[in-house]
Amino acid sequence: MEVNSPNSATVSFPFPFQPYPIQEQFMTELYRVLEDGKVGIFESPTGTGKSLSLICGSLAWLRDFEEKKRQEEARMLGVGETEKEGSQETDISTPSTEPDWITQFLSKKEEMDMKNKIKEEQLRRKRREERLEQMRHNNQLKFASKRKREEDETVRLLQLSQQMLSSGGEGPALEQGEEELVLVEYESDEDTRKAATLDEDDDDVEEEHVTKIYYCSRTHSQLSQFVHELQKSPFGKETRAVSLGSRQNTCVNDEVRRLGTAQLINDRCMEMQKNKHEKKVEESEGKKRRVSRLTCPFYSYEQMQFLRDEVFVEVKDIEQLVSQARKVKACPYYATRYAIPAAQVVILPYQMLLHDSTRRASGIRLKDQVVIIDEAHNLIDTITGMYSSQVTGSQFCQAHSQLAQYMERYRSRLKAKNLMYIKQILFLLEKFVGALGGNVKQNPNYQKVSQEGTTLKSINDFLFYSQVDNINLFKVQRYCTRSMISRKLFGFMEKFRTADVGITMKESTKPGGLQQFLQNLNHKDRVEGVPDGLQDAGENGHPRTASPLMQIEGFLSALTNANQDGRVLVQLQGTVAQSSLKFLMLNPAVHFAEVLKDCRSVVIAGGTMQPVSDFKQQLLISAGLSPDRIVEFSCGHVIPPENILPIVLCSGPTNQQLEFTYQKRDLPEMMDETGRILANLCNVVPGGLVVFFPSYEYQKVILDHWEKTGLTKRLSVKKKIFQEPKKASQVDQVLSEYSRIIKLSGQPGGPLTGALLFSVVGGKMSEGINFSDDLGRCVVMVGMPYPNIRSPELQEKMSYLDHILPKTNGVSAGRVLIENLCMKAVNQSIGRAIRHRGDYASIVLLDHRYSRPAILAKLPQWIRNSTEIKPAFGPAYSSVRKFFQLKKTISVPPT
């Protein structure tokens, strides 16, 4: 397909079939945004081929961009040769007003400038042509340099251990393998320049990054779906693409995979790399005793380079990549990172791209590159959650005791700077527990808080409140990162938790106090205060937990944000162990600004992006982006307008006005009216009818009421009733049975007339589940799912936005936020029904407040354009019945 570009040139968009008009519009606008270096917000409903449009539009631009660069280089070279020849054939008859020596000087200067420009272009071209060949050599240099530094560090550590052991009397003797737990000498404050120089040296041997597109999505399955679309596209054979994933998703070492949690897998992977080099050092030192340590057989540079080359042979998703890695016995995690510089498309989870330190560690460079963030409706929440942090009193106490034990064990072997920073961390932990009203010397499970409640403080106020304002948190954070103290501490606790003999400790002043509490933490089946995601069964059957200090490091890092960008919530409840400190990130734009600053262009795309004001105000304009750089695009659906019937219903069958506010929704007459509406809809809606309630609490209240009044029994006569399960593991089972009943009801003599599914907005079935065709012929939204405005976090967010953003049509920014959160949830839920061109469904919004123009404007365009407002139930029922009659479905008179 060919369309006219903004510059009146013809742009070719290869497509696997004849694209829909909305796909042509999408690709044309996307091409324009990338060409002009702007930031685009693109909305294209699910089922309209959004992924394929993104692929063909962006790769067509990349193809043309690279061709223009080649043509420009050729033109510059041609111009240089032409001007050189022209300078030799200057018309000597033309009189010159300048002296000869000036003319000659200018001529020579122009000639030299042109020669330099030509040489520069030739050099750039040569470097590009030799890029793939140079990568192996460059990475070998980098790999060797990194290995040399690690070996030097290990030698120094072993020498230190030998000196300590030979000196005698300086602390207890170290057990086998324990020397790796001791912190090495820390000199980062003085060696910052040296480290920067080493980083620059590493950059010198790294390969130049070609212009590329970073494609990000939220989940692993969405990324796999994108890869499959890329494989089927016209660009699938010629594009160099690589998929990135975490160690948890890409590790092929079964011994490491069995650890389960991401943090444990990361730590074991790095430890095994280190062991590989430490073994060589011990042999070179001529030791008779060789320590047998586990090394990773897949961490082979030659095999990883071979796998890197295989990545570019054809586009692969993570599963295909892991399968290939097992065959060639190479690590896909590192092989894919070697492939980033030469790749044209990099496919990755957007958490990996949006988190600054993760981005740098992965080798991702955004300078002058293109970033496409798909499924971006939760982007603000993702960034906010990524840079927020919460730590319980139990975790603070556990980390304090572990670190105190570590310091006692290795005090004589630690340099002064290490001891200084450890004491500072212990001081911080003690004060943080004090801020919760506790004492680190006592069991936090038995320390009752004086008064329950939540107090919200600015960062500076919290630092004064907890009496740690005299500590340089930036230096402490840098120390934690560079010394890897949390990993050392985790190894320390792992070693002595599973050992037969415990760590030598000072006797506790109170029996059954903190030491007994910590001993219980190490041996009972469930660790208090540690998230389930950080637990894993160890060799002795007891749970293995990542050190709580890792979680605390995130909290310390959060406290280094600017005072106005976040708040600290002091949450006191029950005991000190149950209480917590939570950092709430209020300004996600400060972190997204780094992406906007570096990239040539950023595209934020999704099936449902309305309302877009949140993205514009909170992410883009707040990050300093000029409004004229922002482009909005929203396309319709591929379905014909007659295939969708959205209705705002203001009143029920008995003329009871529908208003599901907190004050009115529990009234018996309101719940009865809702039941009557569903009973009538069950008469005319074929297949599946999906009902969304605003919360689990209200779903329980209204279903219990219907059970008492007998409505549930009457509904079950017409459609089999299903309810969203409480456990995520049961979702597939419920959906499978729901689907089976609907298929049976479509057959002659089948039972009932379909099924009725009760779900919750924001629950397990409001996002990611497709109710296509007969699975969702009608979606009913009961009320408006406003968030809990009493939440301290939400109140502070509203106050923050009121302070930094202007009013919109007289409405405060905080109030706009509440409406936007509500309508985002609604849009995600009602968009579950229409999934492809031949699909059709009715959408019924039960609440008269949906008829307000400001609320209607926040619906997706393809729904808003067809929405009918029905003040009374009769006309609404008639429209629904006629809609399905036209689709040649069943029709039953109303009750």
Side-chain angles (χ1 to χ4, degrees):
M1 183 203 70
E2 296 184 352
V3 298
N4 290 330
S5 76
N7 299 323
S8 299
T10 300
V11 179
S12 173
F13 290 110
F15 217 73
F17 51 82
Q18 180 61 38
Y20 300 124
I22 61 172
Q23 291 175 319
E24 296 175 358
Q25 298 167 14
F26 187 103
M27 291 186 290
T28 303
E29 191 65 24
L30 176 62
Y31 191 102
R32 180 183 290 112
V33 167
L34 300 184
E35 182 68 16
D36 296 341
K38 295 192 174 183
V39 175
I41 302 176
F42 282 73
E43 181 181 55
S44 180
T46 303
T48 57
K50 170 168 57 70
S51 296
L52 199 55
S53 299
L54 284 170
I55 291 168
C56 295
S58 60
L59 289 181
W61 171 84
L62 184 61
R63 173 203 62 195
D64 294 348
F65 178 80
E66 292 177 342
E67 180 60 30
K68 288 176 184 177
K69 286 181 68 175
R70 286 192 290 267
Q71 292 177 358
E72 182 65 17
E73 291 171 8
R75 188 187 68 81
M76 291 298 296
L77 291 172
V79 168
E81 293 296 328
T82 303
E83 292 189 1
K84 182 177 179 181
E85 293 174 0
S87 65
Q88 297 173 353
E89 300 175 1
T90 305
D91 187 356
I92 59 175
S93 64
T94 303
S96 175
T97 58
E98 299 289 351
D100 291 344
W101 67 271
I102 293 180
T103 304
Q104 292 174 0
F105 173 77
L106 292 176
S107 177
K108 288 181 179 179
K109 185 177 184 301
E110 290 177 0
E111 184 177 346
M112 289 299 296
D113 289 344
M114 186 56 63
K115 284 182 178 179
N116 291 336
K117 188 177 293 185
I118 292 173
K119 287 181 180 179
E120 185 178 341
E121 292 299 327
Q122 288 175 335
L123 179 60
R124 289 180 182 174
R125 185 175 183 180
K126 183 178 179 182
R127 287 178 65 183
R128 276 193 293 271
E129 290 174 349
E130 297 176 350
R131 184 172 293 112
L132 292 177
E133 289 77 5
Q134 289 175 347
M135 179 181 283
R136 186 183 301 275
H137 175 65
N138 289 343
N139 278 323
Q140 283 175 339
L141 290 177
K142 183 180 179 182
F143 189 80
S145 175
K146 177 182 176 183
R147 183 172 60 189
K148 181 67 167 59
R149 289 201 300 272
E150 289 179 344
E151 291 179 350
D152 289 344
E153 177 185 337
T154 306
V155 169
R156 183 170 58 182
L157 177 60
L158 292 174
Q159 289 175 347
L160 176 65
S161 300
Q162 292 170 0
Q163 291 171 4
M164 291 298 182
L165 289 171
S166 62
S167 60
E170 295 191 7
L174 299 183
E175 298 180 9
Q176 178 177 326
E178 194 178 350
E179 66 275 358
E180 68 186 28
L181 302 177
V182 181
L183 289 163
V184 298
E185 185 175 358
Y186 181 73
E187 299 176 343
S188 68
D189 292 344
E190 291 80 6
D191 287 0
T192 303
R193 293 189 183 88
K194 185 186 297 184
T197 302
L198 287 174
D199 290 341
E200 289 174 5
D201 292 342
D202 285 347
D203 292 343
D204 290 340
V205 299
E206 281 190 6
E207 187 198 4
E208 180 186 353
H209 285 233
V210 303
T211 301
K212 65 177 88 284
I213 295 169
Y214 287 97
Y215 173 87
C216 319
S217 194
R218 191 169 58 90
T219 65
H220 177 69
S221 60
Q222 288 165 348
L223 292 172
S224 295
Q225 181 181 354
F226 177 84
V227 172
H228 296 156
E229 292 288 341
L230 178 57
Q231 291 169 338
K232 294 184 293 184
S233 77
F235 295 93
K237 300 294 184 182
E238 60 189 57
T239 302
R240 300 191 303 275
V242 58
S243 296
L244 302 184
S246 65
R247 286 184 174 91
Q248 193 172 21
N249 286 329
T250 58
C251 181
V252 291
N253 188 324
D254 293 333
E255 293 293 326
V256 178
R257 288 177 61 86
R258 276 201 287 266
L259 296 175
T261 64
Q263 188 62 61
L264 296 179
I265 290 174
N266 290 343
D267 290 341
R268 181 58 59 87
C269 175
M270 299 184 71
E271 176 189 348
M272 294 172 80
Q273 292 180 49
K274 209 170 190 181
N275 290 344
K276 182 174 183 178
H277 305 309
E278 287 179 357
K279 184 176 180 180
K280 294 180 180 179
V281 173
E282 291 184 358
E283 291 173 354
S284 65
E285 290 291 318
K287 290 190 174 183
K288 294 181 180 179
R289 179 180 61 87
R290 294 184 182 179
V291 180
S292 176
R293 295 177 187 165
L294 190 62
T295 60
C296 184
F298 299 93
Y299 188 69
S300 165
Y301 178 77
E302 291 76 14
Q303 290 303 107
M304 287 189 293
Q305 288 296 321
F306 177 78
L307 181 59
R308 189 285 314 271
D309 296 337
E310 285 288 308
V311 167
F312 292 147
V313 173
E314 60 180 0
V315 179
K316 296 180 177 66
D317 63 14
I318 290 293
E319 284 76 14
Q320 294 167 332
L321 178 66
V322 169
S323 176
Q324 181 67 19
R326 290 186 182 277
K327 293 178 182 177
V328 301
K329 298 189 181 303
C331 174
Y333 178 81
Y334 286 102
T336 52
R337 277 144 184 80
Y338 289 144
I340 291 176
Q344 295 170 304
V345 178
V346 178
I347 302 149
L348 70 165
Y350 58 56
Q351 293 87 340
M352 188 180 293
L353 181 130
L354 297 173
H355 194 267
D356 180 49
S357 58
T358 305
R359 185 167 65 240
R360 291 199 306 268
S362 300
I364 295 169
R365 294 187 179 181
L366 299 181
K367 186 65 176 175
D368 298 327
Q369 308 292 12
V370 170
V371 166
I372 297 176
I373 303 175
D374 199 4
E375 301 297 334
H377 54 273
N378 288 328
L379 184 58
I380 294 175
D381 294 337
T382 298
I383 300 176
T384 299
M386 201 178 295
Y387 289 96
S388 297
S389 178
Q390 184 172 10
V391 186
T392 65
S394 177
Q395 289 173 306
F396 281 126
C397 288
Q398 190 180 9
H400 185 278
S401 181
Q402 290 179 359
L403 193 57
Q405 294 177 48
Y406 180 90
M407 185 177 71
E408 284 298 313
R409 175 80 177 173
Y410 304 121
R411 179 185 292 272
S412 60
R413 291 172 166 80
L414 296 174
K415 292 294 184 179
K417 190 156 288 187
N418 278 318
L419 284 172
M420 178 192 74
Y421 278 112
I422 289 177
K423 288 178 180 179
Q424 285 189 7
I425 296 172
L426 288 171
F427 176 78
L428 289 169
L429 297 177
E430 181 180 350
K431 292 300 182 182
F432 290 155
V433 174
L436 295 173
N439 189 324
V440 293
K441 296 181 180 179
Q442 300 176 12
N443 190 327
N445 278 329
Y446 302 125
Q447 297 183 66
K448 300 288 185 181
V449 298
S450 57
Q451 185 176 358
E452 295 190 1
T454 299
T455 307
L456 197 142
K457 299 180 181 296
S458 69
I459 297 175
N460 289 343
D461 288 345
F462 172 74
L463 296 179
F464 283 110
Y465 171 76
S466 56
Q467 301 176 1
V468 297
D469 52 294
N470 59 326
I471 300 293
N472 189 328
L473 294 180
F474 291 93
K475 285 189 174 182
V476 174
Q477 180 197 7
R478 183 166 63 242
Y479 172 78
C480 291
T481 301
R482 294 189 175 178
S483 68
M484 296 188 294
I485 186 171
S486 61
R487 289 174 180 166
K488 301 278 187 183
L489 188 60
F490 173 72
F492 170 76
M493 295 307 297
E494 277 288 285
K495 181 174 182 62
F496 290 101
R497 176 166 54 207
T498 57
D500 293 332
V501 294
I503 305 170
T504 304
M505 288 292 301
K506 293 181 179 179
E507 292 295 328
S508 175
T509 55
K510 293 184 179 181
L514 182 61
Q515 300 307 324
Q516 182 62 43
F517 162 71
L518 290 163
Q519 186 177 354
N520 292 340
L521 280 179
N522 289 335
H523 292 288
K524 66 183 183 178
D525 291 335
R526 186 179 183 276
V527 180
E528 296 289 343
V530 180
D532 293 339
L534 297 180
Q535 300 181 29
D536 185 52
E539 295 175 1
N540 60 352
H542 297 304
R544 304 179 61 189
T545 64
S547 168
L549 188 59
M550 296 176 185
Q551 183 84 357
I552 293 166
E553 284 181 11
F555 182 71
L556 293 176
S557 177
L559 292 178
T560 62
N561 280 280
N563 186 57
Q564 68 272 16
D565 290 339
R567 297 291 183 270
V568 179
L569 279 74
V570 183
Q571 299 174 320
L572 304 179
Q573 54 181 8
T575 65
V576 171
Q578 296 170 327
S579 301
S580 65
L581 298 177
K582 180 178 181 179
F583 177 82
L584 175 65
M585 171 57 67
L586 296 177
N587 184 18
V590 71
H591 296 288
F592 196 63
E594 300 172 11
V595 177
L596 295 173
K597 179 183 67 176
D598 288 340
C599 290
R600 171 195 175 95
S601 183
V602 176
V603 174
I604 303 172
T608 305
M609 299 297 291
Q610 291 291 340
V612 299
S613 59
D614 282 356
F615 296 98
K616 291 178 63 176
Q617 295 291 342
Q618 296 186 45
L619 274 188
L620 305 181
I621 295 176
S622 295
L625 193 69
S626 173
D628 58 10
R629 278 198 66 198
I630 303 173
V631 176
E632 295 179 42
F633 176 83
S634 179
C635 67
H637 211 293
V638 294
I639 64 167
E642 61 270 17
N643 277 20
I644 182 173
L645 178 63
I647 291 177
V648 174
L649 185 57
C650 301
S651 301
T654 64
N655 293 325
Q656 171 75 41
Q657 187 182 49
L658 300 176
E659 184 177 334
F660 293 87
T661 59
Y662 189 77
Q663 295 79 12
K664 297 182 178 181
R665 67 182 187 179
D666 290 341
L667 296 176
E669 53 266 30
M670 188 67 67
M671 293 188 285
D672 290 338
E673 194 78 337
T674 306
R676 284 189 283 268
I677 293 171
L678 291 182
N680 279 281
L681 290 177
C682 285
N683 289 334
V684 296
V685 174
L689 193 158
V690 184
V691 180
F692 284 102
F693 294 101
S695 66
Y696 286 102
E697 177 190 6
Y698 186 60
Q699 177 184 246
K700 184 178 187 306
V701 170
I702 199 169
L703 292 184
D704 288 347
H705 178 77
W706 288 347
E707 189 70 35
K708 293 176 183 176
T709 60
L711 177 69
T712 303
K713 189 174 182 180
R714 294 201 301 273
L715 290 175
S716 63
V717 173
K718 302 172 183 179
K719 290 182 181 290
K720 184 172 177 60
I721 297 177
F722 293 87
Q723 189 173 340
E724 179 178 307
K726 294 181 179 180
K727 295 182 179 179
S729 58
Q730 298 174 341
V731 170
D732 289 341
Q733 179 182 349
V734 171
L735 287 176
S736 177
E737 182 63 14
Y738 173 75
S739 177
R740 187 183 71 84
I741 292 296
I742 289 175
K743 287 179 179 178
L744 288 175
S745 67
Q747 298 175 1
L752 310 176
T753 59
L756 178 63
L757 176 62
F758 294 128
S759 304
V760 176
V761 175
K764 304 172 186 66
M765 295 184 176
S766 65
E767 186 176 342
I769 304 296
N770 294 336
F771 296 107
S772 59
D773 299 321
D774 282 344
L775 294 182
R777 288 303 181 198
C778 181
V779 175
V780 177
M781 177 65 61
V782 179
M784 301 185 71
Y786 282 106
N788 180 14
I789 198 171
R790 296 182 179 85
S791 162
E793 293 97 327
L794 186 55
Q795 287 184 346
E796 188 61 26
K797 182 74 172 181
M798 292 171 65
S799 175
Y800 171 78
L801 293 177
D802 286 341
H803 179 69
I804 67 168
L805 297 178
K807 291 184 177 181
T808 303
N809 297 326
V811 181
S812 67
R815 182 63 192 175
V816 171
L817 171 68
I818 294 295
E819 290 183 354
N820 288 351
L821 290 174
C822 169
M823 293 308 296
K824 278 184 182 179
V826 170
N827 292 339
Q828 283 299 312
S829 298
I830 63 179
R832 301 295 97 202
I834 304 292
R835 311 308 289 180
H836 59 84
R837 180 175 176 80
D839 208 353
Y840 62 91
S842 175
I843 298 170
V844 182
L845 305 176
L846 303 186
D847 202 306
H848 77 94
R849 293 174 294 174
Y850 282 111
S851 62
R852 298 172 183 170
I855 298 298
L856 282 175
K858 298 180 189 295
L859 288 170
Q861 181 182 357
W862 63 280
I863 294 179
R864 181 172 66 243
N865 292 343
S866 302
T867 301
E868 300 178 7
I869 299 175
K870 301 292 185 181
F873 179 74
Y877 179 82
S878 177
S879 294
V880 174
R881 180 178 59 183
K882 182 179 179 181
F883 175 78
F884 287 110
Q885 283 178 339
L886 290 174
K887 300 302 175 185
K888 297 180 180 180
T889 58
I890 61 172
S891 177
V892 180
T895 57

